[in-house]
Amino acid sequence: MEVETMFANYLTKEEYVDGEEEGSKHRALRHALVDWSWGGIGVPNGLEPGDIVAKLAAKDNNPQNPAGGPGPAAVNPGAAERNLGAGASLTRRRSTGWKLAEEAVCREDLTRLCPKHSWNNNLAVLECLQDKKELNLTTDPKFESVANEVCKTTISEIKECAAEELGKGYLVSCLVDHRGNISDYQCNQYITKMTTIVFSDYRLICGFMDKCREDINSLHCGSISTGEKDIHSQGEVIACLEKGLVREAEEQPGAHAIKEDCKKSIMRVAELSSDDFHLDRYLYFACREDRERFCENTLAGEGRVYKCLFNHKFEEALSERCREALTTRQKLIAQDYKVSYSLAKACKSDLRKYRCSADSNMPRAREARLSYLLLCLESAVHRGRVVSGECQGEMMDYRRMLMEDFSLSPEIVLHCRSEIEGHCSGLHRKGRTLHCLMRVGRGDMGAIDPNCQRALQTLIQEADPGADYRIDRALNEACESVIQTACKHIRNGDPMILSCLMEHLYTEKMVEDCEHRLLELQYFIARDWKLDPILYRKCQGDAARLCHTHGWNETSEMMPPGAIFSCLYRHAYRSVEQGRRLSRDCKVEVQRILHQRALDVKLDPELQRRCMTDLGKWCSEKTEAGQELECLQDHLEDLVSDCREVVGNLTELESEDIQIEALLMRACEPVIQTHCHEVADNQIDTGELMDCLVQNKHQKEMNEKCSVGVTHFQLIQIKDFRFSYKFKTACKEDVLKLCPNIKKKVDVVICLSTTVRNDTLQDAKEQRVSVKCRKQLRVEEVEMSEDIRLEPELYDSCKQDINRLCQNVAFGNAQVIECLKENKRQLTQRCHQRIFKLQEVEMVDPELDYQLMRVCKHMIRRFCTESEGKNVLQCLKQNKNSELMDPKCKQMITKRQITQNTDYRLNPVLRKACKADIPKFCQPILNKATADSELEGQVISCLKLKYADQRLSPDCEDQIRVILQESALDYRLDPQLQIHCTQEISRLCPEEAAAQEQTGQVEECLKVNLLKIKQEGCKKEVLNMLKESKADIFVDPVLHTACALDIKHQCAAIPPGKGRQMSCLMEALQDKRVRLQPECKKRLQDRIDMWSYAAKVAPADGFSDLAMQVMTSPSKNYILTVIGAGVALLFLMGLLCGRFTKRVTQELKDR
């Protein structure tokens, strides 16, 4: 029998008459139902369904079709004849083009409920009335009759429907339940039209009443009988059950446990209504106006309206009732992905392809969960498998949905309830609550329950926002401006966007809100290496090979996700000899992650876990970026062992690759670009970049942040020699062999340096310290000399003096050390001793004198390229008065000369040359000396006097001559003169002392004013100067300058030294035939007067002194001639006068 006939037969029945008026409405709606139902079955030759009804009526009234147009008889004459009798009573009053709106019984309702523009369309009118007033038409068993005829073949194929008991209205519901499996066209169209009617009343859904009766009553979801409640509440019953199901899943207090069969029925109803939002009656009524407002142009079917409404869920204009209904729907999707028609359809083949529903060990309910589907398919994508673009698009939508609304994750609602109430209430929309919970999870707002932390971590894995930042709406909105400026070169949605944002963290381009959202998300991504898709893609092979990992969505108790990255970076920095290294691509990604983690200590899970107590104890006030790790490094010795180990390992890693320190690299960018770009570009695990930064720490491009960061790293390195990668690599074997129990770097350096020095002094055949270690040792010693803090013992000894004398002096460039040297007379004994020891080392090895090497860097290149390191200062002294000498370097050389002249031990060349002379002539001074204090030039003064007496060995004499010549030009180089004559110089020679260039004016001033000097000590020193000048004219620069021409003419053949040239000039002065230069003559006469006065004031102390005075006297020849003549005269007298004693006879001798 044809479908048209069955509907006609149905419509002739008048069984739904609950009163004349109501019965008329039912009849009118039945007639319109034919139009509606047949619209999907197909009407021949383009006739409207309503026309068929009209034609049936016309056939009855006028059997002879007069018009000649194609009528139903022409189209389907058999059907028309068969339906003629059946439809006669029905269509008697209907003419062609009959409209439901014309029925008197419906006019009032249409005027009140339906828009006027819909009145001409019977289907629109019927939909309007069906929506506005749920009329229960579908309980009539005549629907089963139509279904039996139209779907006869289909029913036999679907066993569940064939077994349904007829007469209860369940057959149609069963067919609706299985409509996805109906292949017959006419049956499919009929059931599609009937679906709306079935879903208008939950009692029509196959078996629903039997399975959910008790739960409906228990949950008070409404009465079973429609008479007890408004007929619109039929959709609310299902909504009530769905909410009950959600409450149970979230384990809310007082939640009712719904029976398993009812649960399945509820989810099945939600699944069956997933393609057309009209079928979810509660949601439809709740969202009708919102649909018109936001989704007016969205066609119904295939879940499109649902998706449109989901996208507008957090719009301000959306009604709260609709938002609530949408949230309930989303929660059901979270429990069973099939409740989303579009997702189930798009991913059906991929789910089957990757066996996402084939885990026999997993409960069916979990397999159906949205989270399981996402994890399974995300795993396939991350493994490089092909997942259809349509499916990936749907996954993207639902991942975003999970990140937008925390309430869609039952575990979050259950385990994070107290955190939400305590910290995050009122932030429900657009993912703000979730980010608030992440902030709590970071520890920024107090402690978090471990179960809540795990729930958050699980959700982040399910949503996988690391693969596409747009999934995280809160992050997307907060960082949009940063992405548009800083990351515009990266394709939208690329995983590298997150890395780009991390690179710009704490920069001017970063905004505060983006910074917070980014760190909140990265905190959780950092705890599971798989959540960084680039890292996972590049390193999954290495992780499987080295760290025994499993699939993307599989975990292992032996190797939890957080431990895998630790495993990777341990292998990233292994040497070739150690083997089992990472691939190049993976290593690059590991370095990228390490750079990111250096930005915030909380991004390093291992560090945060082990150091939580120490962070609170030592670093609670360190809130700036990167300060917490620096704080831990500063307190390394104070940390608990677990924390000390992880901080030590991280510091050791940084020494190998300082680029891990992203903040430091950012601060040092100008210096790197100018001085270290080649090293930065080519660095492969050698620590070269940090060495370059240290060497250029005081360049003009160096800013304060970079300088502080580099110095901090240097200070950390001294705590353990392992923290200096190059030193560790070069000297590890030497340390184990020669300094096995020493850990601190500074102690290791001292140990190895002492070994090298001893081997050198003892002329050992073979140095115990290897060549490569000796080279690196020199680098470390030089670096340590740059900052007093790099030598802890010296720093601790002088801390008090630094605060008192050098509080405004910066530590870098060895400035504090220089300040202490300049004020060493005011230092405490302990500090003074340390400074003296330091100077002693620096004088032996001038390369360790950081200030000297820095200030005279270019002069050393100009004058001393061929000199050994230990002879650099000697070379500079020899070229000090060159016209090409830099004034600053000259000043620094003078400072070092002053230092050397305070104590012979600070002048290694003099010490070696006068090794025998010093104990021979100056032993009383040595007996009074202490090991760690200066002799204030006493030994050198002693040697000067012996030089004047011409009693020194040749080597020592040469060195003293140099000292005399130098100090004659600059009084500051004579410590004894400075000590005794400071007041006299200030009184008698202030202008000469203030001169920038010292050329002996102060000494000359003191000599000229000898009679005016009141202090005996000063007078004695000036007399000693006069005495010394008699021995060598070079010691008297003023006289030498005045007589330079005369020396050239009169004394050219006479070698300098031992007073020879001075005697020559004296003889020339007395020789009336020789005409000396006036200035020379005047100066010589002055000197004679001074010497005469000196002889009167300071007579000879003994025969040797007298002999020395004679030998150095200008009248030496005359005096010697007189003395010789006297001796000869005595000899002659003895010869002539005989013996004056009585002769002794031989007899007396023989007695």
Side-chain angles (χ1 to χ4, degrees), residues 1081-1106:
K1081 190 174 182 180
K1082 179 179 181 302
R1083 294 290 181 187
L1084 276 173
Q1085 193 60 54
D1086 289 342
R1087 293 297 180 270
I1088 291 172
D1089 294 340
M1090 290 179 187
W1091 292 330
S1092 299
Y1093 176 74
K1096 294 177 183 178
V1097 174
D1101 293 334
F1103 181 79
S1104 61
D1105 196 16
L1106 176 64

PDB file of all heavy atoms in Angstrom, residues 1081-1106:
ATOM      1  N   LYS A1081     127.703  75.059  34.790  1.00  0.00           N
ATOM      2  CA  LYS A1081     128.675  75.604  35.726  1.00  0.00           C
ATOM      3  C   LYS A1081     127.990  76.009  37.023  1.00  0.00           C
ATOM      4  O   LYS A1081     128.482  75.733  38.124  1.00  0.00           O
ATOM      5  CB  LYS A1081     129.370  76.803  35.071  1.00  0.00           C
ATOM      6  CG  LYS A1081     130.562  77.313  35.860  1.00  0.00           C
ATOM      7  CD  LYS A1081     131.287  78.414  35.064  1.00  0.00           C
ATOM      8  CE  LYS A1081     132.514  78.903  35.832  1.00  0.00           C
ATOM      9  NZ  LYS A1081     133.219  79.967  35.074  1.00  0.00           N
ATOM     10  N   LYS A1082     126.838  76.679  36.895  1.00  0.00           N
ATOM     11  CA  LYS A1082     126.087  77.128  38.062  1.00  0.00           C
ATOM     12  C   LYS A1082     125.632  75.941  38.900  1.00  0.00           C
ATOM     13  O   LYS A1082     125.766  75.929  40.124  1.00  0.00           O
ATOM     14  CB  LYS A1082     124.881  77.953  37.610  1.00  0.00           C
ATOM     15  CG  LYS A1082     124.010  78.457  38.750  1.00  0.00           C
ATOM     16  CD  LYS A1082     122.851  79.280  38.202  1.00  0.00           C
ATOM     17  CE  LYS A1082     121.980  79.816  39.325  1.00  0.00           C
ATOM     18  NZ  LYS A1082     121.419  78.791  40.202  1.00  0.00           N
ATOM     19  N   ARG A1083     125.065  74.910  38.220  1.00  0.00           N
ATOM     20  CA  ARG A1083     124.572  73.740  38.943  1.00  0.00           C
ATOM     21  C   ARG A1083     125.712  72.991  39.632  1.00  0.00           C
ATOM     22  O   ARG A1083     125.555  72.509  40.770  1.00  0.00           O
ATOM     23  CB  ARG A1083     123.848  72.794  37.974  1.00  0.00           C
ATOM     24  CG  ARG A1083     122.559  73.354  37.386  1.00  0.00           C
ATOM     25  CD  ARG A1083     121.490  73.432  38.435  1.00  0.00           C
ATOM     26  NE  ARG A1083     120.220  73.949  37.903  1.00  0.00           N
ATOM     27  CZ  ARG A1083     119.165  74.237  38.647  1.00  0.00           C
ATOM     28  NH1 ARG A1083     119.220  74.086  39.969  1.00  0.00           N
ATOM     29  NH2 ARG A1083     118.073  74.708  38.093  1.00  0.00           N
ATOM     30  N   LEU A1084     126.863  72.918  38.971  1.00  0.00           N
ATOM     31  CA  LEU A1084     128.005  72.224  39.575  1.00  0.00           C
ATOM     32  C   LEU A1084     128.486  72.950  40.822  1.00  0.00           C
ATOM     33  O   LEU A1084     128.798  72.320  41.849  1.00  0.00           O
ATOM     34  CB  LEU A1084     129.137  72.116  38.562  1.00  0.00           C
ATOM     35  CG  LEU A1084     129.068  70.947  37.572  1.00  0.00           C
ATOM     36  CD1 LEU A1084     130.158  71.077  36.524  1.00  0.00           C
ATOM     37  CD2 LEU A1084     129.177  69.619  38.295  1.00  0.00           C
ATOM     38  N   GLN A1085     128.533  74.278  40.737  1.00  0.00           N
ATOM     39  CA  GLN A1085     128.977  75.067  41.883  1.00  0.00           C
ATOM     40  C   GLN A1085     128.015  74.895  43.050  1.00  0.00           C
ATOM     41  O   GLN A1085     128.425  74.764  44.208  1.00  0.00           O
ATOM     42  CB  GLN A1085     129.077  76.546  41.493  1.00  0.00           C
ATOM     43  CG  GLN A1085     129.816  77.388  42.522  1.00  0.00           C
ATOM     44  CD  GLN A1085     131.242  76.910  42.743  1.00  0.00           C
ATOM     45  OE1 GLN A1085     132.040  76.766  41.805  1.00  0.00           O
ATOM     46  NE2 GLN A1085     131.604  76.620  44.002  1.00  0.00           N
ATOM     47  N   ASP A1086     126.698  74.846  42.703  1.00  0.00           N
ATOM     48  CA  ASP A1086     125.684  74.610  43.742  1.00  0.00           C
ATOM     49  C   ASP A1086     125.901  73.256  44.412  1.00  0.00           C
ATOM     50  O   ASP A1086     125.787  73.121  45.644  1.00  0.00           O
ATOM     51  CB  ASP A1086     124.294  74.676  43.150  1.00  0.00           C
ATOM     52  CG  ASP A1086     123.901  76.094  42.766  1.00  0.00           C
ATOM     53  OD1 ASP A1086     124.535  77.037  43.242  1.00  0.00           O
ATOM     54  OD2 ASP A1086     122.936  76.225  41.954  1.00  0.00           O
ATOM     55  N   ARG A1087     126.201  72.258  43.583  1.00  0.00           N
ATOM     56  CA  ARG A1087     126.389  70.916  44.141  1.00  0.00           C
ATOM     57  C   ARG A1087     127.616  70.878  45.065  1.00  0.00           C
ATOM     58  O   ARG A1087     127.601  70.226  46.113  1.00  0.00           O
ATOM     59  CB  ARG A1087     126.575  69.888  43.004  1.00  0.00           C
ATOM     60  CG  ARG A1087     125.341  69.670  42.137  1.00  0.00           C
ATOM     61  CD  ARG A1087     124.201  69.087  42.958  1.00  0.00           C
ATOM     62  NE  ARG A1087     123.015  68.859  42.157  1.00  0.00           N
ATOM     63  CZ  ARG A1087     122.037  69.730  41.967  1.00  0.00           C
ATOM     64  NH1 ARG A1087     122.126  70.938  42.538  1.00  0.00           N
ATOM     65  NH2 ARG A1087     120.978  69.429  41.255  1.00  0.00           N
ATOM     66  N   ILE A1088     128.692  71.597  44.684  1.00  0.00           N
ATOM     67  CA  ILE A1088     129.899  71.613  45.517  1.00  0.00           C
ATOM     68  C   ILE A1088     129.586  72.222  46.874  1.00  0.00           C
ATOM     69  O   ILE A1088     130.015  71.709  47.923  1.00  0.00           O
ATOM     70  CB  ILE A1088     131.024  72.400  44.802  1.00  0.00           C
ATOM     71  CG1 ILE A1088     131.490  71.614  43.571  1.00  0.00           C
ATOM     72  CG2 ILE A1088     132.204  72.641  45.750  1.00  0.00           C
ATOM     73  CD1 ILE A1088     132.459  72.396  42.683  1.00  0.00           C
ATOM     74  N   ASP A1089     128.799  73.289  46.849  1.00  0.00           N
ATOM     75  CA  ASP A1089     128.421  73.924  48.103  1.00  0.00           C
ATOM     76  C   ASP A1089     127.580  72.971  48.954  1.00  0.00           C
ATOM     77  O   ASP A1089     127.754  72.896  50.181  1.00  0.00           O
ATOM     78  CB  ASP A1089     127.628  75.208  47.821  1.00  0.00           C
ATOM     79  CG  ASP A1089     128.481  76.272  47.131  1.00  0.00           C
ATOM     80  OD1 ASP A1089     129.719  76.171  47.226  1.00  0.00           O
ATOM     81  OD2 ASP A1089     127.892  77.165  46.479  1.00  0.00           O
ATOM     82  N   MET A1090     126.639  72.272  48.272  1.00  0.00           N
ATOM     83  CA  MET A1090     125.774  71.330  49.001  1.00  0.00           C
ATOM     84  C   MET A1090     126.587  70.209  49.605  1.00  0.00           C
ATOM     85  O   MET A1090     126.372  69.802  50.760  1.00  0.00           O
ATOM     86  CB  MET A1090     124.714  70.746  48.052  1.00  0.00           C
ATOM     87  CG  MET A1090     123.653  71.740  47.615  1.00  0.00           C
ATOM     88  SD  MET A1090     122.485  70.957  46.475  1.00  0.00           S
ATOM     89  CE  MET A1090     121.521  72.375  45.963  1.00  0.00           C
ATOM     90  N   TRP A1091     127.569  69.701  48.815  1.00  0.00           N
ATOM     91  CA  TRP A1091     128.387  68.596  49.337  1.00  0.00           C
ATOM     92  C   TRP A1091     129.244  69.057  50.510  1.00  0.00           C
ATOM     93  O   TRP A1091     129.467  68.318  51.471  1.00  0.00           O
ATOM     94  CB  TRP A1091     129.271  68.047  48.226  1.00  0.00           C
ATOM     95  CG  TRP A1091     128.454  67.344  47.141  1.00  0.00           C
ATOM     96  CD1 TRP A1091     127.291  66.700  47.271  1.00  0.00           C
ATOM     97  CD2 TRP A1091     128.802  67.280  45.765  1.00  0.00           C
ATOM     98  NE1 TRP A1091     126.862  66.210  46.075  1.00  0.00           N
ATOM     99  CE2 TRP A1091     127.781  66.545  45.107  1.00  0.00           C
ATOM    100  CE3 TRP A1091     129.876  67.760  44.984  1.00  0.00           C
ATOM    101  CZ2 TRP A1091     127.786  66.286  43.751  1.00  0.00           C
ATOM    102  CZ3 TRP A1091     129.906  67.485  43.626  1.00  0.00           C
ATOM    103  CH2 TRP A1091     128.857  66.754  43.008  1.00  0.00           C
ATOM    104  N   SER A1092     129.720  70.319  50.399  1.00  0.00           N
ATOM    105  CA  SER A1092     130.535  70.855  51.496  1.00  0.00           C
ATOM    106  C   SER A1092     129.686  70.970  52.752  1.00  0.00           C
ATOM    107  O   SER A1092     130.134  70.617  53.862  1.00  0.00           O
ATOM    108  CB  SER A1092     131.094  72.239  51.125  1.00  0.00           C
ATOM    109  OG  SER A1092     131.916  72.141  50.001  1.00  0.00           O
ATOM    110  N   TYR A1093     128.476  71.455  52.591  1.00  0.00           N
ATOM    111  CA  TYR A1093     127.581  71.583  53.727  1.00  0.00           C
ATOM    112  C   TYR A1093     127.238  70.204  54.285  1.00  0.00           C
ATOM    113  O   TYR A1093     127.218  70.000  55.507  1.00  0.00           O
ATOM    114  CB  TYR A1093     126.303  72.307  53.303  1.00  0.00           C
ATOM    115  CG  TYR A1093     125.283  72.401  54.409  1.00  0.00           C
ATOM    116  CD1 TYR A1093     125.461  73.291  55.468  1.00  0.00           C
ATOM    117  CD2 TYR A1093     124.157  71.567  54.412  1.00  0.00           C
ATOM    118  CE1 TYR A1093     124.529  73.367  56.498  1.00  0.00           C
ATOM    119  CE2 TYR A1093     123.226  71.628  55.428  1.00  0.00           C
ATOM    120  CZ  TYR A1093     123.407  72.530  56.471  1.00  0.00           C
ATOM    121  OH  TYR A1093     122.504  72.603  57.493  1.00  0.00           O
ATOM    122  N   ALA A1094     127.005  69.247  53.343  1.00  0.00           N
ATOM    123  CA  ALA A1094     126.674  67.893  53.776  1.00  0.00           C
ATOM    124  C   ALA A1094     127.826  67.301  54.569  1.00  0.00           C
ATOM    125  O   ALA A1094     127.634  66.589  55.561  1.00  0.00           O
ATOM    126  CB  ALA A1094     126.359  67.026  52.568  1.00  0.00           C
ATOM    127  N   ALA A1095     129.073  67.589  54.150  1.00  0.00           N
ATOM    128  CA  ALA A1095     130.230  67.052  54.853  1.00  0.00           C
ATOM    129  C   ALA A1095     130.330  67.624  56.261  1.00  0.00           C
ATOM    130  O   ALA A1095     130.745  66.939  57.201  1.00  0.00           O
ATOM    131  CB  ALA A1095     131.507  67.364  54.075  1.00  0.00           C
ATOM    132  N   LYS A1096     129.934  68.887  56.415  1.00  0.00           N
ATOM    133  CA  LYS A1096     129.972  69.509  57.729  1.00  0.00           C
ATOM    134  C   LYS A1096     128.850  68.987  58.616  1.00  0.00           C
ATOM    135  O   LYS A1096     129.041  68.708  59.799  1.00  0.00           O
ATOM    136  CB  LYS A1096     129.841  71.027  57.595  1.00  0.00           C
ATOM    137  CG  LYS A1096     131.008  71.691  56.911  1.00  0.00           C
ATOM    138  CD  LYS A1096     130.752  73.183  56.763  1.00  0.00           C
ATOM    139  CE  LYS A1096     131.883  73.872  56.002  1.00  0.00           C
ATOM    140  NZ  LYS A1096     131.611  75.314  55.804  1.00  0.00           N
ATOM    141  N   VAL A1097     127.671  68.867  57.989  1.00  0.00           N
ATOM    142  CA  VAL A1097     126.502  68.455  58.765  1.00  0.00           C
ATOM    143  C   VAL A1097     126.561  66.981  59.105  1.00  0.00           C
ATOM    144  O   VAL A1097     126.202  66.544  60.197  1.00  0.00           O
ATOM    145  CB  VAL A1097     125.195  68.792  58.004  1.00  0.00           C
ATOM    146  CG1 VAL A1097     123.982  68.231  58.732  1.00  0.00           C
ATOM    147  CG2 VAL A1097     125.077  70.285  57.827  1.00  0.00           C
ATOM    148  N   ALA A1098     127.052  66.200  58.141  1.00  0.00           N
ATOM    149  CA  ALA A1098     127.080  64.741  58.336  1.00  0.00           C
ATOM    150  C   ALA A1098     128.488  64.244  58.149  1.00  0.00           C
ATOM    151  O   ALA A1098     128.869  63.787  57.078  1.00  0.00           O
ATOM    152  CB  ALA A1098     126.130  64.063  57.338  1.00  0.00           C
ATOM    153  N   PRO A1099     129.426  64.399  59.181  1.00  0.00           N
ATOM    154  CA  PRO A1099     130.798  63.904  59.071  1.00  0.00           C
ATOM    155  C   PRO A1099     130.828  62.394  58.946  1.00  0.00           C
ATOM    156  O   PRO A1099     129.856  61.727  59.245  1.00  0.00           O
ATOM    157  CB  PRO A1099     131.436  64.368  60.386  1.00  0.00           C
ATOM    158  CG  PRO A1099     130.288  64.518  61.330  1.00  0.00           C
ATOM    159  CD  PRO A1099     129.133  64.948  60.510  1.00  0.00           C
ATOM    160  N   ALA A1100     131.947  61.935  58.527  1.00  0.00           N
ATOM    161  CA  ALA A1100     132.080  60.500  58.292  1.00  0.00           C
ATOM    162  C   ALA A1100     131.901  59.730  59.593  1.00  0.00           C
ATOM    163  O   ALA A1100     132.407  60.116  60.640  1.00  0.00           O
ATOM    164  CB  ALA A1100     133.456  60.215  57.713  1.00  0.00           C
ATOM    165  N   ASP A1101     131.170  58.605  59.458  1.00  0.00           N
ATOM    166  CA  ASP A1101     130.891  57.782  60.631  1.00  0.00           C
ATOM    167  C   ASP A1101     132.060  56.873  60.981  1.00  0.00           C
ATOM    168  O   ASP A1101     132.175  56.395  62.102  1.00  0.00           O
ATOM    169  CB  ASP A1101     129.646  56.934  60.377  1.00  0.00           C
ATOM    170  CG  ASP A1101     128.403  57.812  60.261  1.00  0.00           C
ATOM    171  OD1 ASP A1101     128.396  58.917  60.840  1.00  0.00           O
ATOM    172  OD2 ASP A1101     127.429  57.372  59.581  1.00  0.00           O
ATOM    173  N   GLY A1102     132.947  56.628  60.055  1.00  0.00           N
ATOM    174  CA  GLY A1102     134.068  55.741  60.312  1.00  0.00           C
ATOM    175  C   GLY A1102     135.062  55.827  59.178  1.00  0.00           C
ATOM    176  O   GLY A1102     134.950  56.644  58.274  1.00  0.00           O
ATOM    177  N   PHE A1103     136.095  54.986  59.264  1.00  0.00           N
ATOM    178  CA  PHE A1103     137.138  55.033  58.257  1.00  0.00           C
ATOM    179  C   PHE A1103     136.578  54.728  56.871  1.00  0.00           C
ATOM    180  O   PHE A1103     136.938  55.376  55.890  1.00  0.00           O
ATOM    181  CB  PHE A1103     138.255  54.044  58.619  1.00  0.00           C
ATOM    182  CG  PHE A1103     139.374  54.054  57.628  1.00  0.00           C
ATOM    183  CD1 PHE A1103     140.344  55.065  57.655  1.00  0.00           C
ATOM    184  CD2 PHE A1103     139.452  53.073  56.649  1.00  0.00           C
ATOM    185  CE1 PHE A1103     141.372  55.075  56.716  1.00  0.00           C
ATOM    186  CE2 PHE A1103     140.494  53.099  55.717  1.00  0.00           C
ATOM    187  CZ  PHE A1103     141.452  54.088  55.763  1.00  0.00           C
ATOM    188  N   SER A1104     135.736  53.737  56.809  1.00  0.00           N
ATOM    189  CA  SER A1104     135.190  53.375  55.501  1.00  0.00           C
ATOM    190  C   SER A1104     134.375  54.521  54.920  1.00  0.00           C
ATOM    191  O   SER A1104     134.432  54.817  53.720  1.00  0.00           O
ATOM    192  CB  SER A1104     134.318  52.117  55.612  1.00  0.00           C
ATOM    193  OG  SER A1104     133.230  52.356  56.488  1.00  0.00           O
ATOM    194  N   ASP A1105     133.590  55.181  55.808  1.00  0.00           N
ATOM    195  CA  ASP A1105     132.780  56.300  55.339  1.00  0.00           C
ATOM    196  C   ASP A1105     133.686  57.443  54.888  1.00  0.00           C
ATOM    197  O   ASP A1105     133.426  58.103  53.874  1.00  0.00           O
ATOM    198  CB  ASP A1105     131.853  56.756  56.460  1.00  0.00           C
ATOM    199  CG  ASP A1105     130.723  57.645  55.935  1.00  0.00           C
ATOM    200  OD1 ASP A1105     130.503  57.634  54.705  1.00  0.00           O
ATOM    201  OD2 ASP A1105     130.059  58.320  56.739  1.00  0.00           O
ATOM    202  N   LEU A1106     134.802  57.669  55.680  1.00  0.00           N
ATOM    203  CA  LEU A1106     135.750  58.717  55.323  1.00  0.00           C
ATOM    204  C   LEU A1106     136.395  58.415  53.978  1.00  0.00           C
ATOM    205  O   LEU A1106     136.545  59.293  53.119  1.00  0.00           O
ATOM    206  CB  LEU A1106     136.823  58.840  56.413  1.00  0.00           C
ATOM    207  CG  LEU A1106     137.958  59.840  56.148  1.00  0.00           C
ATOM    208  CD1 LEU A1106     137.403  61.264  56.070  1.00  0.00           C
ATOM    209  CD2 LEU A1106     139.018  59.746  57.248  1.00  0.00           C
TER     210      LEU A1106
END
